[in-house]
Amino acid sequence: MAQFRLKALEEVLNREPAEFVREDNLVSNYYGKLVFDETKMKKYLSKEAFSAVMDATKHGTTIDRKMADQIAQGMKAWALENGATHYTHWFHPLTDATAEKHDAFIVHGEKGSVVEAFSGSLLAQQEPDASSFPSGGIRQTFEARGYTAWDPTSPAFISETTLTIPTIFISYTGEALDYKTPLLRALHVVDKAATAVCQYFDKNVASVQANLGWEQEYFLIDEALYMARPDLILCGRTLMGHSSSKDQQLDDHYFSSIPTRVNRFMQDVENEAYKLGIPVKTRHNEVAPNQFELAPIFEEANLANDHNQLIMDIMQKIARRHKFRILYHEKPFQGINGSGKHNNWSLSTNTGVNLYSPGKNPKSNLLFLTFVINTLQAVYDNQDLLRASIYNAQNQHRLGANEAPPSILSVFLGTEISKMLDLMEEAVSDKKMTPDEKTALKLNIGRIPEIILDSTDRNRTSPFAFTGNRFEFRAVGSSANCASALIVLNTVMANQLNKFKTKVDALIEKGTKKDEAIFQVLKEIIINTKNIRFNGDGYSAEWVKEAAARGLSNINNVPEALSAYMRPEYQKMFDELGVFNKSELHGRVEVEYEKFLKKIQIESRVLADLAINHIVPTAVHYQTTLLENIKNMKEVFSADEFEELAGARKNLVREIGGHISAIKAKRTEMIEARKKANIIEDTIEKAKAYDETVLPFLPDIRYHIDKLELIVDNELWPLPKYRELLFVR
Ligand code: ADP
Ligand code: MG
């Protein structure tokens, strides 16, 4: 076994950077080459078919079957010309991956021949066998039917030789079984709510879109070393491993020069991304050794999320070409930084205004402040829901672990915006504001832009930070489908904007002037939401205390975090806004609990196996060597000398024996705990049992294994060590 580890190390040392050929030196020459985008649609579709797609994209109108047929013909022609042989409906089920089933374009022709065919109905809707996708009981297996339906707002593309059509995935009865359906619904409600508020300021605003710029963090591990770690293969994270004497203490990895092999991999990824119209822009080394980040230019949220899911898949494939394996797990290694996926989020109007960008005059700044201040209330009222949207088995290891924000939601605004809000709070004294005061306030508001636009006080420790022209939701995990967070974020924002508008309208109705009414309601919110604002160090122990004093919630376990979804007021909100009906929400939460408990179950099994057939035999082997050595010493030395010389060795034998016994005993106890948990019928109770009675054994058993790793002869140790996984390349 140890040879396997040593052989793997040797293999890594002999690696050459993989070759790859860039499509063209100028990205603009091939960007979007494999996407059925506007330019191609114009070429391959009739005028009416083209406008049908454009209307659907921009105004959400439906495309009828006749038109869909025309579009399918155009799409097929383009796809065949570009080397596609198959087509697929691509969707985001509630698993950790996307799903696709490829069908060849061929149908029977005359005299035993085949011809390539594709129709509007195949483009618009399909019925994959849905019984194996999680639904949380929405779809009983006897009515396993689920449909995928074309999402014309995200363009089709060619992946290898398959025309890939982004779709939603719904049950026979129309309930969402995926991430995309509720995301589209949430984006729709935030559009409506934000547009209505924008109309106070500008009647030309007809729609508002949400934007997303994700920052994908990941680890790269050499393939040979990865293959020698069953825990990485099966769980995506190391369940054992003593920390390396050197890891990230010297901060020498962040932004340092990118190793050639990794650089080749990144270029290869970018090359593929550009062909698929994914605007990736930034690449760099992250804080932890072998940790990296990739970020694109932001896009409309639904498209950006499709692109994130797509690139995660592509990166996995390309990593193999370069003899790497990619880890998206939020905490693959204990003791060093884990990986997140910051979600940079903003709202912008059809008139080209970013609602989170301070404008040039008082009026546009009031619009800006309206959105910032309403965001405060939305986050304040929905802390638990936002947390639930990002909490899972993996991310719980990362949040609060000294490198990532704790499980407390707070909002960082920076000093300038905070000053503005304080000013508004003081100045706007209901109806008693003098014209002079108003002017003063407006002037002050009018002064923000320059300061903020080059704002440098960027707080890295906040889970939800204003960063100049957007909010950055940083608690999202690296393996997540961003939709989970975006569904909640956009829904709670829509809900808040609706409430805001109701209040402002009521004041206007009573005769208050519009600007004044807006000021008053904003002031009220500023006063109400002070507790959610925090510009200090979110990683500090003092903050945990202070947050508790402020009444902010701090939940550190998955079952409790997820339970927020079931709170009556939240269920009501989702239902009323049409994002999730009750059965959809229940189903979804059930799936989350199930994913959680199954992941713990798998980790517990893998650890039990590795402990008993990798670690214990190795430790026994070394112990035997020591015992023989002691016996030999006894023969050679006099009794006195022997006592003096063999003492330490005997202790080592005892120490090893102690760890072996502890591992065996705890392993047995853990298996018992699992058995007990497994007979619980109710998923939520079962998840709780896994959390409370099985999960704690993992660090417990690990402790003893990691101690053994330090004691046992290096030559014998079977699993690549942290210092090798993270530094040998
Ligand atoms: P940092 O690491 O400093 O946060 P990055 O450049 O890595 O910055 O990532 C910032 C992300 O935010 C990019 O994807 C960028 O396109 C995105 N972004 C910039 N402005 C906006 C905006 N108005 N709305 C949404 N995302 C934005
Ligand atoms: Mg960021």
Side-chain angles (χ1 to χ4, degrees), residues 211-215 254 282 284 293 295-298 342 344-347 354 458 460 469-470 472:
N211 305 302
L212 167 68
W214 42 263
E215 298 168 51
Y254 193 56
T282 308
H284 61 78
E293 182 184 296
I297 302 170
F298 72 93
H342 296 178
N344 293 268
W345 170 82
S346 67
L347 297 169
N354 173 3
R458 303 259 247 128
R460 293 261 154 210
N469 60 357
R470 61 190 186 269
E472 206 170 317

Side-chain angles (χ1 to χ4, degrees), residues 635-675:
E635 278 173 28
V636 174
F637 295 104
S638 70
D640 282 356
E641 264 181 310
F642 173 73
E643 276 319 311
E644 202 187 310
L645 288 171
R649 228 149 292 196
K650 281 194 212 164
N651 283 339
L652 203 52
V653 170
R654 285 191 197 99
E655 206 180 321
I656 292 172
H659 291 306
I660 292 174
S661 308
I663 290 171
K664 282 187 163 173
K666 283 180 192 298
R667 178 181 176 272
T668 311
E669 278 179 64
M670 175 171 75
I671 292 170
E672 281 311 308
R674 233 165 48 210
K675 280 188 190 155

Side-chain angles (χ1 to χ4, degrees), residues 369-437:
L369 288 167
T370 298
F371 277 84
V372 167
I373 293 167
N374 274 294
T375 308
L376 285 178
Q377 186 78 60
V379 175
Y380 191 39
D381 291 344
N382 299 281
Q383 300 160 47
D384 292 340
L385 206 48
L386 285 163
R387 181 191 304 102
S389 77
I390 53 94
Y391 228 77
N392 56 34
Q394 308 90 272
N395 213 9
Q396 75 167 352
H397 293 295
R398 177 179 83 103
L399 294 174
N402 252 358
E403 87 246 10
S407 307
I408 305 165
L409 258 292
S410 62
V411 181
F412 167 84
L413 287 181
T415 39
E416 291 309 321
I417 308 280
S418 301
K419 261 194 244 158
M420 276 316 306
L421 302 203
D422 294 343
L423 200 75
M424 280 179 81
E425 189 190 335
E426 288 158 25
V428 191
S429 57
D430 298 58
K431 284 155 216 151
K432 282 175 232 129
M433 217 166 111
T434 65
D436 276 357
E437 280 171 332

Side-chain angles (χ1 to χ4, degrees), residues 350-597:
N350 63 313
T351 54
V353 174
N354 173 3
L355 297 168
Y356 290 104
S357 210
K360 293 257 180 281
N361 56 53
K363 191 127 194 130
S364 54
N365 275 323
L366 185 59
L367 175 66
F368 159 75
L369 288 167
T370 298
F371 277 84
V372 167
I373 293 167
N374 274 294
T375 308
L376 285 178
Q377 186 78 60
V379 175
Y380 191 39
D381 291 344
N382 299 281
Q383 300 160 47
D384 292 340
L385 206 48
L386 285 163
R387 181 191 304 102
S389 77
I390 53 94
Y391 228 77
N392 56 34
Q394 308 90 272
N395 213 9
Q396 75 167 352
H397 293 295
R398 177 179 83 103
L399 294 174
N402 252 358
E403 87 246 10
S407 307
I408 305 165
L409 258 292
S410 62
V411 181
F412 167 84
L413 287 181
T415 39
E416 291 309 321
I417 308 280
S418 301
K419 261 194 244 158
M420 276 316 306
L421 302 203
D422 294 343
L423 200 75
M424 280 179 81
E425 189 190 335
E426 288 158 25
V428 191
S429 57
D430 298 58
K431 284 155 216 151
K432 282 175 232 129
M433 217 166 111
T434 65
D436 276 357
E437 280 171 332
K438 268 191 213 164
T439 315
L441 178 68
K442 284 185 179 176
L443 279 177
N444 272 311
I445 294 178
R447 253 192 251 140
I448 358 172
E450 273 70 40
I451 316 168
I452 294 174
L453 287 178
D454 61 70
S455 158
T456 42
D457 61 341
R458 303 259 247 128
N459 183 322
R460 293 261 154 210
T461 66
S462 172
F464 201 92
F466 181 74
T467 46
N469 60 357
R470 61 190 186 269
F471 275 99
E472 206 170 317
F473 192 12
R474 300 209 182 102
V476 182
S478 48
S479 73
N481 185 312
C482 303
S484 183
L486 291 174
I487 291 164
V488 170
L489 187 53
N490 290 293
T491 303
V492 301
M493 191 59 192
N495 191 45
Q496 174 53 33
L497 290 169
N498 288 343
K499 285 191 199 165
F500 172 75
K501 183 156 191 304
T502 308
K503 280 193 182 165
V504 173
D505 285 350
L507 286 175
I508 294 173
E509 193 121 309
K510 277 193 225 142
T512 314
K513 278 212 174 123
K514 190 180 69 187
D515 276 8
E516 188 83 27
I518 293 172
F519 271 136
Q520 277 186 36
V521 181
L522 290 180
K523 178 185 170 178
E524 208 179 285
I525 300 178
I526 292 171
I527 295 168
N528 288 342
T529 58
K530 278 198 171 151
N531 281 340
I532 198 80
R533 279 160 59 187
F534 179 60
N535 287 346
D537 180 2
Y539 296 180
S540 70
E542 294 82 64
W543 168 234
V544 176
K545 266 192 234 151
E546 189 188 326
R550 291 184 183 196
L552 298 179
S553 64
N554 181 8
I555 294 167
N556 291 304
N557 74 82
V558 176
E560 197 186 341
L562 288 177
S563 70
Y565 274 122
M566 306 315 290
R567 227 174 273 163
E569 69 267 27
Y570 291 156
Q571 290 197 36
K572 191 160 161 269
M573 171 178 68
F574 280 126
D575 197 25
E576 281 176 2
L577 288 172
V579 175
F580 288 125
N581 63 31
K582 285 211 169 115
S583 116
E584 287 174 318
L585 193 59
H586 282 235
R588 194 152 300 243
V589 175
E590 175 107 359
V591 171
E592 285 304 321
Y593 277 106
E594 217 168 279
K595 274 199 276 192
F596 167 74
L597 81 87

Side-chain angles (χ1 to χ4, degrees), residues 606-626:
V606 171
L607 183 63
D609 289 354
L610 284 180
I612 214 71
N613 49 40
H614 282 62
I615 306 303
V616 169
T618 307
V620 169
H621 187 103
Y622 184 55
Q623 201 183 30
T624 312
T625 312
L626 287 173

Side-chain angles (χ1 to χ4, degrees), residues 111-374:
K111 300 183 189 145
S113 67
V114 293
V115 291
E116 276 79 14
F118 190 52
S119 67
S121 54
L122 287 173
L123 165 65
Q125 186 175 311
Q126 293 199 15
E127 191 187 337
D129 179 2
S131 53
S132 298
F133 292 107
S135 77
I138 287 187
R139 188 185 17 62
Q140 306 293 338
T141 18
F142 61 83
E143 47 169 56
R145 295 160 75 178
Y147 291 102
T148 51
W150 179 32
D151 167 18
T153 63
S154 179
F157 55 90
I158 295 173
S159 169
E160 295 182 25
T161 54
T162 303
L163 169 68
T164 307
I165 300 153
T167 58
I168 57 167
F169 181 43
I170 51 175
S171 76
Y172 183 55
T173 45
E175 276 136 335
L177 297 174
D178 65 349
Y179 284 112
K180 193 192 256 279
T181 310
L183 175 61
L184 290 172
R185 292 173 182 163
L187 294 174
H188 176 71
V189 297
V190 84
D191 168 10
K192 289 280 158 284
T195 303
V197 169
C198 285
Q199 295 246 331
Y200 284 137
F201 301 86
D202 180 359
K203 291 284 175 212
N204 293 320
V205 174
S207 65
V208 171
Q209 79 170 32
N211 305 302
L212 167 68
W214 42 263
E215 298 168 51
Q216 180 71 53
E217 292 183 339
Y218 59 93
F219 280 84
L220 281 178
I221 302 299
D222 186 90
E223 180 178 83
L225 298 169
Y226 173 91
M227 285 305 173
R229 290 286 311 215
D231 49 356
L232 280 182
I233 297 174
L234 298 174
C235 309
R237 75 169 177 119
T238 55
L239 298 174
M240 58 188 73
H242 198 280
S243 54
S244 170
S245 309
K246 169 189 188 288
D247 43 53
Q248 61 188 41
Q249 308 94 319
L250 301 176
D251 288 326
D252 52 356
H253 193 254
Y254 193 56
F255 282 14
S256 65
S257 104
I258 301 171
T260 308
R261 264 183 77 200
V262 176
N263 200 304
R264 288 269 168 90
F265 158 79
M266 287 174 167
Q267 291 186 51
D268 208 348
V269 168
E270 286 163 4
N271 195 43
E272 291 303 317
Y274 292 145
K275 286 194 244 171
L276 289 164
I278 306 175
V280 294
K281 186 160 171 75
T282 308
R283 56 178 185 215
H284 61 78
N285 287 10
E286 260 303 328
V287 173
N290 275 357
Q291 191 190 29
F292 307 93
E293 182 184 296
L294 177 72
I297 302 170
F298 72 93
E299 300 174 284
E300 185 278 324
N302 173 46
L303 180 63
N305 189 42
D306 276 358
H307 281 165
N308 179 242
Q309 287 294 301
L310 184 57
I311 200 98
M312 284 174 81
D313 190 44
I314 291 171
M315 284 164 81
Q316 246 158 357
K317 289 178 182 156
I318 293 179
R320 289 183 176 219
R321 260 191 237 160
H322 296 259
K323 303 257 184 269
F324 283 124
R325 286 305 147 101
I326 198 159
L327 306 179
Y328 290 126
H329 195 290
E330 279 75 354
K331 191 77 178 176
F333 301 98
Q334 187 173 281
I336 57 172
N337 279 18
S339 303
K341 178 153 55 196
H342 296 178
N343 278 205
N344 293 268
W345 170 82
S346 67
L347 297 169
S348 59
T349 66
N350 63 313
T351 54
V353 174
N354 173 3
L355 297 168
Y356 290 104
S357 210
K360 293 257 180 281
N361 56 53
K363 191 127 194 130
S364 54
N365 275 323
L366 185 59
L367 175 66
F368 159 75
L369 288 167
T370 298
F371 277 84
V372 167
I373 293 167
N374 274 294

